[in-house]
């Protein structure tokens, strides 16, 4: 994207936000009072209250290791911050062609608060019922359930398989997307393309205590979804240039003139300075009603950076009997690129700086550790009453050798490559 | 003699059971998709009907615009319709809509309270399609055959 457009997008987001919040306040009452099909506005929402327990007490388990500050295991025995959330959505349909959607969500975020943030805020224009353009904030549909990953009621598990769903650090886009659906008999094929920018905030770290920005620029992608009766097939490709400012604060230390060219080379090789991300994914789902079988695979390449190249897949199935849907899932992630580096050659470093350089090397290898492993999941969803479900889920996570998995807040007693169990209980609802 | 009687009893029970189960499936099959008597549409497949109600298409196969008239949650015919035509429970239909609503991809169709309301709207709009109990079908609407 040309540099000139960026402020325009930011301004647009801010404008959309204020318009949306104003209309929400003014019209929420009206929308409730009127018939939903005759009013311009409609209000809906969803929520989850959930608690998860981890047997790994030397680190925190979370559903969002990039963006959440704590979780279950070390910080809390049973954590409510992993799955609990509440969202309110306002839809406006101004004309048959022009509509808008705003969704605010309250969940644990980088600053350890539940301050609501805007998850969706866009206006949509439908040229025909099968073709549309949207402007504003749009959640990326990287995987099948990515754009409704917060809506627990919409899927069988407590949370989508994280080995797969967490492989992309970029998941929201401020920009534009176009969508075109064609029909082949009773089947449809929808092709969607997007372009834009994003900046998600992450919690502070030891080397960068303040919350940090993670600007993603030049994001674009294409998703193609084929649906025929119970079958969904999907292909995804996307790209971004990502900078993790908090992490880069550490890699900047390698650029100390005392380390010369080898320091700069290491910083550029493993830092994340506008690093290009390329991702492809494929999904298949078969759901005739009584049971389901689905599988997704993705591969990300974030090079040159410490994140490197990673592949992940899962397969999941469930059977519906009355109000109960017992399910199983198996997921696997694997880091394909290097997981260690000798770092700075201490022989070329001034003796006074060697201790410091050895510390940086240790830090570098901490970043290069894989975050991969396998997860076996068994659980059950119970549709206990209208618009409400209860889920119980057990997971056994086995980390790869040297891996710290998706865990955060690693304590000195934490051992990489370990295995641990998770138990989760949630209530999901929609209204 | 005693044995014969008990055999007869068992046969009677089995027959009653069979009748019950037939009744059961007959009552399930008694929801029909209907269009206005003025509509050109005469038959649709299950999948075409489900596609219209689930927002996957806005057109009948003949190219006419399709306006689905749903029934509100809890209406007698609603659960029967989705179970019979889509093989899905009320909760599954709600979950499918949750995926579309909370991603800004669509809103559920207009929903009315009961079969009579559906018929009233069908009379007003030749593009409308709904579902009602077969015994509610009269001259004002046309039951679609499923091919």
């Amino acid at each position: 994207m040309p540099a000139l457009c960026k402020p325009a997008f930011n301004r647009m987001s801010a404008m959309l936000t204020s318009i949306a919040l104003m209309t929400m306040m003014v019209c929420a009452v009206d929308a409730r009072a009127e018939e939903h099909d005759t009013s311009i506005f409609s209000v809906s929402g969803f929520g989850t209250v959930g608690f998860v327990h981890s047997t790994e007490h030397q680190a925190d388990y979370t559903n969002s290791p990039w963006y959440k500050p704590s979780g279950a295991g070390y910080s809390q025995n049973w954590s409510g911050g992993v799955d609990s959330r509440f969202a309110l959505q306002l839809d406006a349909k101004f004309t048959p062609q022009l509509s808008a959607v705003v969704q605010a969500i309250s969940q644990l975020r980088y600053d350890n608060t539940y301050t609501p943030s805007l998850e969706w805020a866009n206006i949509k224009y439908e040229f025909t019922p099968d073709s549309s353009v949207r402007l504003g904030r749009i959640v990326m549909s990287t995987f099948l359930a990515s754009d409704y990953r917060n809506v627990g009621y919409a899927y069988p598990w407590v949370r989508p398989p994280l080995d797969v769903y967490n492989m992309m650090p970029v998941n929201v886009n401020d920009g534009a997307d176009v969508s075109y659906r064609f029909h082949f008999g009773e089947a449809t094929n929808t092709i969607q393309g997007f372009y834009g920018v994003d900046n998600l905030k992450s919690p502070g770290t030891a080397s960068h205590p303040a919350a940090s920005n993670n600007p993603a620029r030049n994001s674009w992608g294409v998703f193609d979804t084929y649906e025929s009766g119970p079958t969904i097939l999907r292909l995804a490709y996307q790209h971004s240039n990502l900078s993790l400012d908090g992490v880069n604060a550490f890699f900047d230390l390698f650029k100390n003139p005392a380390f010369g060219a080898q320091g700069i080379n290491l910083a550029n090789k493993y830092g994340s300075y506008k690093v290009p991300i390329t991702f492809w994914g494929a999904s298949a789902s078969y759901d005739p009603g009584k049971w389901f079988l689905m599988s997704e695979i993705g591969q990300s390449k974030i090079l040159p950076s410490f994140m490197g190249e990673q592949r992940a897949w899962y397969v999941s199935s469930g059977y519906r009997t009355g109000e109960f849907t017992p399910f199983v899932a198996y997921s696997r992630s694997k880091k394909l690129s290097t997981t260690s580096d000798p770092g700075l050659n201490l022989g070329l470093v001034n003796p006074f700086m060697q201790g410091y350089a050895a510390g940086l090397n240790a830090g570098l290898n901490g970043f290069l550790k894989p975050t991969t492993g396998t997860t076996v999941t068994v659980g059950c969803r119970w549709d206990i009453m209208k618009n409400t479900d209860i889920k119980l889920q057990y997971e056994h996570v086995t980390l790869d050798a040297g891996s710290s998995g998706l865990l955060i807040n690693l304590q000195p007693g934490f051992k990489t490559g370990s295995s641990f169990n998770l138990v989760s209980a949630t209530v999901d609802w929609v209204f | 003699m005693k044995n014969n009687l008990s055999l007869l009893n068992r046969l009677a029970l089995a027959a009653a059971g069979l009748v019950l189960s037939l009744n059961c499936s007959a009552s399930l099959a008694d929801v029909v998709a209907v269009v206005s008597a003025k509509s050109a549409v005469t038959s649709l497949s299950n999948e075409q009907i489900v596609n219209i109600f689930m927002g996957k298409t806005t057109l009948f196969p003949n190219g006419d615009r399709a306006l689905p008239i749903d029934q509100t949650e809890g209406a007698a015919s609603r659960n029967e319709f989705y179970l019979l035509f889509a093989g899905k429970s009320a909760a599954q239909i709600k979950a499918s809509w949750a995926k579309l609503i909370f991603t800004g991809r669509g809103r559920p169709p207009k929903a009315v309270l009961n079969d009579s309301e559906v018929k009233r709207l069908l009379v007003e709009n030749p593009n409308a399609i709904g579902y009602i109990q077969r015994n509610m079908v009269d001259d004002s609407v046309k039951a679609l055959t499923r091919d």
Side-chain angles (χ1 to χ4, degrees):
Chain A
M1 165 181 301
L4 272 175
C5 293
K6 287 177 196 168
F9 267 123
N10 290 340
R11 270 203 307 277
M12 192 182 64
S13 280
M15 194 182 70
L16 271 172
T17 309
S18 36
I19 291 175
L21 290 177
M22 278 191 295
T23 35
M24 217 172 212
M25 285 187 287
V26 174
C27 304
V29 180
D30 282 350
R32 274 176 190 282
E34 287 178 42
E35 281 280 314
H36 69 90
D37 42 73
T38 54
S39 164
I40 294 175
F41 297 99
S42 54
V43 179
S44 52
F46 59 87
T48 297
V49 172
F51 288 89
V52 52
H53 170 77
S54 167
T55 59
E56 174 56 75
H57 301 299
Q58 296 296 322
D60 275 342
Y61 172 81
T62 169
N63 64 334
S64 182
W66 296 94
Y67 304 114
K68 283 194 179 175
S70 66
Y74 171 71
S75 297
Q76 281 165 307
N77 197 19
W78 285 88
S79 170
V82 177
D83 298 303
S84 303
R85 62 188 85 91
F86 178 75
L88 205 57
Q89 177 169 315
L90 178 74
D91 282 86
K93 198 160 179 76
F94 303 108
T95 73
Q97 288 79 36
L98 186 66
S99 60
V101 60
V102 179
Q103 186 187 106
I105 188 163
S106 167
Q107 59 185 341
L108 185 63
R109 55 174 218 170
Y110 69 95
D111 58 359
N112 217 13
T113 71
Y114 284 79
T115 311
S117 58
L118 271 191
E119 181 82 354
W120 294 83
N122 63 68
I123 49 174
K124 175 159 96 173
Y125 187 83
E126 291 173 70
F127 300 99
T128 70
D130 289 324
S131 59
S132 62
V133 56
R134 296 189 287 188
L135 285 174
R137 175 162 299 175
I138 298 153
V139 178
M140 292 175 180
S141 49
T142 306
F143 292 103
L144 267 179
S146 292
D147 57 357
Y148 55 88
R149 69 200 183 294
N150 292 320
V151 191
Y153 189 83
Y155 44 78
W157 324 281
V158 163
R159 54 195 91 82
L162 297 188
D163 289 326
V164 173
Y165 277 74
N166 261 325
M167 67 189 301
M168 277 293 278
V170 181
N171 49 39
V172 174
N173 185 49
D174 289 343
D177 85 341
V178 291
S179 173
Y180 186 72
R181 177 169 67 182
F182 18 165
H183 298 262
F184 308 94
E186 289 159 29
T188 61
N189 187 74
T190 308
I191 187 155
Q192 183 195 351
F194 74 89
Y195 190 90
V197 301
D198 168 41
N199 185 7
L200 287 168
K201 291 213 173 215
S202 349
T205 60
S207 59
H208 188 276
S212 54
N213 292 313
N214 302 289
R217 295 285 177 260
N218 196 28
S219 296
W220 63 272
V222 180
F223 308 117
D224 189 79
T225 310
Y226 172 84
E227 288 180 75
S228 174
T231 307
I232 302 176
L233 300 173
R234 204 160 175 288
L235 285 173
Y237 179 85
Q238 65 183 78
H239 169 93
S240 280
N241 285 93
L242 178 68
S243 301
L244 303 171
D245 289 354
V247 174
N248 287 347
F250 168 77
F251 284 101
D252 286 344
L253 302 175
F254 282 90
K255 294 179 177 172
N256 188 320
F259 302 134
Q262 64 163 337
I264 290 166
N265 289 342
L266 284 166
N268 290 334
K269 190 172 177 188
Y270 295 121
S272 53
Y273 305 96
K274 296 179 183 167
V275 54
I277 299 179
T278 53
F279 168 88
W280 67 260
S283 314
S285 163
Y286 186 76
D287 185 348
K290 198 75 189 142
W291 56 280
F292 68 87
L293 177 64
M294 60 193 294
S295 183
E296 297 190 84
I297 183 166
Q299 184 156 337
S300 62
K301 190 169 164 185
I302 314 180
L303 283 172
S305 85
F306 68 96
M307 291 169 277
E309 222 173 333
Q310 194 167 313
R311 183 187 300 150
W313 58 272
Y314 76 85
V315 58
S316 180
S317 183
Y319 180 79
R320 298 188 180 94
T321 166
E323 285 100 51
F324 295 93
T325 309
F327 57 83
V328 292
Y330 178 85
S331 59
R332 173 91 183 97
S333 58
K334 194 164 179 56
K335 190 170 186 184
L336 307 173
S337 53
T338 187
T339 57
S340 69
D341 192 288
L344 293 163
N345 181 345
L346 299 184
L348 300 175
V349 173
N350 180 320
F352 295 110
M353 296 284 277
Q354 282 177 356
Y356 175 61
L360 290 185
N361 285 347
L364 165 65
N365 281 282
F367 276 108
L368 287 175
K369 274 191 305 209
T371 56
T372 52
T374 62
T375 307
V376 176
T377 303
V378 181
C380 189
R381 169 180 170 139
W382 178 18
D383 285 288
I384 184 169
M385 53 188 259
K386 188 180 155 185
N387 299 344
T388 307
D389 73 56
I390 291 180
K391 292 170 187 166
L392 270 177
Q393 181 168 306
Y394 167 84
E395 287 159 272
H396 181 72
V397 180
T398 309
L399 302 178
D400 287 343
S403 168
S404 54
L406 299 165
L407 300 171
I408 57 171
N409 295 336
L410 306 181
Q411 299 305 304
F414 175 76
K415 298 209 169 32
T416 58
S418 63
S419 65
F420 57 94
N421 302 321
L422 301 164
V423 179
S424 312
T426 56
V427 178
D428 303 302
W429 71 95
V430 291
F431 63 92
Chain B
M1 199 58 191
K2 202 178 170 190
N3 277 344
N4 281 349
L5 263 180
S6 88
L7 182 68
L8 275 175
N9 274 344
R10 272 182 236 164
L11 277 173
L13 274 175
L18 190 64
V19 169
L20 271 178
S21 64
L22 279 175
N23 268 346
C24 212
S25 55
S27 80
L28 255 185
D30 259 4
V31 166
V32 288
V34 285
V35 290
S36 160
K38 285 173 263 176
S39 170
V41 178
T42 53
S43 84
L44 291 175
S45 71
N46 263 9
E47 197 173 338
Q48 285 166 334
I49 293 168
V50 171
N51 281 350
I52 290 169
F53 276 88
M54 296 306 292
K56 288 185 185 161
T57 181
T58 54
L59 300 176
F60 288 114
N62 69 4
D64 286 350
R65 205 169 69 86
L67 179 73
I69 307 292
D70 210 344
Q71 297 201 28
T72 50
E73 287 168 52
S77 299
R78 181 184 167 102
N79 292 357
E80 268 182 47
F81 170 73
Y82 283 109
L83 210 53
L84 184 66
F85 283 75
K88 294 194 169 162
S89 68
Q92 285 172 278
I93 295 299
K94 191 76 181 186
S96 294
W97 275 112
K99 293 174 190 176
L100 301 177
I101 293 169
F102 297 118
T103 55
R105 278 184 276 164
R107 302 290 306 176
K110 180 188 179 75
V112 297
L113 287 175
N114 53 42
D115 290 2
S116 309
E117 288 287 297
V118 172
K119 279 164 65 177
R120 191 175 61 77
L121 285 170
L122 256 55
V123 171
E124 286 171 14
N125 193 331
N127 290 70
I129 175 171
Y131 52 84
I132 58 175
Q133 299 293 325
R134 188 181 293 280
N135 61 17
M136 293 287 285
V137 174
D138 58 27
D139 290 348
S140 67
V141 297
K142 186 162 54 173
L144 296 178
T145 56
R146 284 152 61 200
D147 54 29

